[in-house]
Amino acid sequence: MRTKTLVGPLLAALLLTSCSGAEPGTIAQAKGTVNIDIHAWVGYEAQAAVLAYLLKNELGYKVNTRPVKEDQSWRDFQSGKVDVIVESWGHNDLKKEFIEDKKVALSAGLTGNKGVIGWYVPEWMAKKYPDITDYRNLNKYASLFRTDKTGNAGQVLDGDPTFVTNDEALVKNLGLNYKVVYSGSEAALIKAAQNATRNRTPLLMYFYEPQWLFTKVRLVKVALPAYAVGCDADPAKVACDYPPYLLDKIVSRRFAETGGPAYELVRNFTWTNDDQNTVASSMINDKLTAEAAAKRWVAENKIVWKDWIPR
């Protein structure tokens, strides 16, 4: 009789398991919530989307995201509103304040991305004016870059003013007849680069890699004075190029101590510029949502992410 009473529940359980239709890797029970902030460039959003997808579908976490300025994210480590910044570009001042002094955050390791910031012109300009990519020759071309916002000076087009930038100091300290104008967003920079290439209009712009746009539009980097360790120590006196950036992930100390497998996944995450550009391009050029782009990349790149998953 005991055997008979077990058959029904066991059979029912087996039938439910075999007929549920759940996808492999999908976790039914949520383990907790991870709060990821979204910063204002598509590469960041691409990286956050992949992490969120894996947290939800491989580990069973709920993920909350919110768009917010970079400096606000750092302040919110202290209040507990954010667990993860998925890509940090330098910000040594913020690291000193919140990691070293207040001890409310810490680095969760490198993302694998190699970051480059600099000044760029469309390729057609570099071909037409071969010496324009040397900063020492920019003043003789300043008239090409004049706009109604700069008067007799040339324009250096920047993005969001909260992005890492030394451009105002560079213009002043290198004696350049230019004015920095903030477009307000990455999207505005991308549109400016596309228009300048398509319409052959002059453009000198702040930009960065990794960035999917380089697969679609040809830009040439302007050679600024070579970077040397310490040349940017005083923000007001910067007269050198941007350093190479090894981008890292920043997490709250509380998340590092209590996040369990979620923290381990974030810590283990590492990919390449090409990986990030692939997801970002799917979002922009293929018009996929961030989640759909992440799902596509995850489906095609298990060999990359399988070792990120805690065992």
Side-chain angles (χ1 to χ4, degrees):
M1 293 295 293
R2 183 176 299 171
T3 303
K4 186 175 181 180
T5 59
L6 286 172
V7 169
L10 281 172
L11 181 59
L14 288 169
L15 287 171
L16 281 171
T17 301
S18 62
C19 300
S20 65
E23 294 182 6
T26 300
I27 308 296
Q29 292 184 328
K31 294 181 178 178
T33 300
V34 180
N35 299 304
I36 299 177
D37 276 358
I38 304 298
H39 295 165
W41 60 94
V42 70
Y44 184 106
E45 189 177 355
Q47 186 160 309
V50 169
L51 269 171
Y53 186 87
L54 292 172
L55 283 165
K56 289 187 286 187
N57 293 285
E58 291 295 322
L59 296 184
Y61 285 86
K62 178 182 177 182
V63 177
N64 291 332
T65 61
R66 61 167 188 165
V68 66
K69 298 289 187 182
E70 291 179 76
D71 55 348
Q72 185 62 52
S73 285
W74 285 82
R75 288 195 292 272
D76 284 345
F77 279 132
Q78 197 159 7
S79 64
K81 292 180 181 178
V82 58
D83 296 316
V84 184
I85 293 173
V86 304
E87 182 179 280
S88 176
W89 286 70
H91 292 300
N92 291 332
D93 55 337
L94 295 172
K95 286 183 175 179
K96 183 179 187 308
E97 180 178 357
F98 294 101
I99 294 179
E100 296 178 20
D101 297 342
K102 294 183 178 178
K103 302 186 187 306
V104 295
L106 52 84
S107 174
L110 299 177
T111 68
N113 295 127
K114 295 175 174 60
V116 176
I117 297 176
W119 292 2
Y120 294 83
V121 295
E123 185 183 58
W124 71 264
M125 291 197 77
K127 289 181 176 179
K128 186 173 182 179
Y129 312 104
D131 62 346
I132 202 171
T133 56
D134 184 330
Y135 82 95
R136 289 168 292 192
N137 299 317
L138 285 176
N139 276 344
K140 75 177 183 180
Y141 294 110
S143 61
L144 295 177
F145 300 105
R146 289 174 184 165
T147 71
D148 57 359
K149 295 180 180 179
T150 63
N152 290 326
Q155 174 181 269
V156 179
L157 187 66
D158 268 48
D160 187 311
T162 66
F163 288 177
V164 173
T165 177
N166 299 325
D167 287 359
E168 291 186 19
L170 282 168
V171 166
K172 178 182 177 182
N173 297 326
L174 295 178
L176 299 177
N177 183 29
Y178 284 78
K179 180 179 179 181
V180 176
V181 174
Y182 294 95
S183 66
S185 68
E186 178 185 71
L189 284 175
I190 290 171
K191 185 176 181 180
Q194 291 170 328
N195 288 342
T197 298
R198 181 172 54 250
N199 302 325
R200 294 178 70 85
T201 51
L203 176 67
L204 175 61
M205 66 184 291
Y206 163 104
F207 212 50
Y208 41 83
E209 301 177 55
Q211 167 54 242
W212 66 267
L213 184 66
F214 285 98
T215 67
K216 301 291 184 180
V217 172
R218 294 187 180 277
L219 302 172
V220 179
K221 194 171 184 288
V222 173
L224 296 171
Y227 176 82
V229 175
C231 71
D232 55 353
D234 185 341
K237 296 181 179 179
V238 174
C240 59
D241 205 346
Y242 291 86
Y245 291 92
L246 296 178
L247 310 183
D248 62 347
K249 302 151 288 186
I250 308 297
V251 299
S252 71
R253 182 170 292 276
R254 179 195 59 78
F255 180 67
E257 293 172 350
T258 66
Y263 169 67
E264 291 182 52
L265 172 58
V266 172
R267 185 186 61 194
N268 293 343
F269 177 98
T270 179
W271 66 354
T272 67
N273 287 14
D274 286 343
D275 290 322
Q276 186 181 107
N277 288 340
T278 296
V279 180
S281 182
S282 293
M283 294 164 59
I284 300 299
N285 298 309
D286 298 338
K287 310 300 182 185
L288 296 184
T289 64
E291 184 173 13
K295 182 178 181 179
R296 174 193 282 182
W297 185 89
V298 166
E300 296 174 353
N301 291 276
K302 187 171 183 178
I303 193 171
V304 178
W305 60 261
K306 63 182 178 64
D307 290 335
W308 304 345
I309 306 301
R311 297 177 180 176

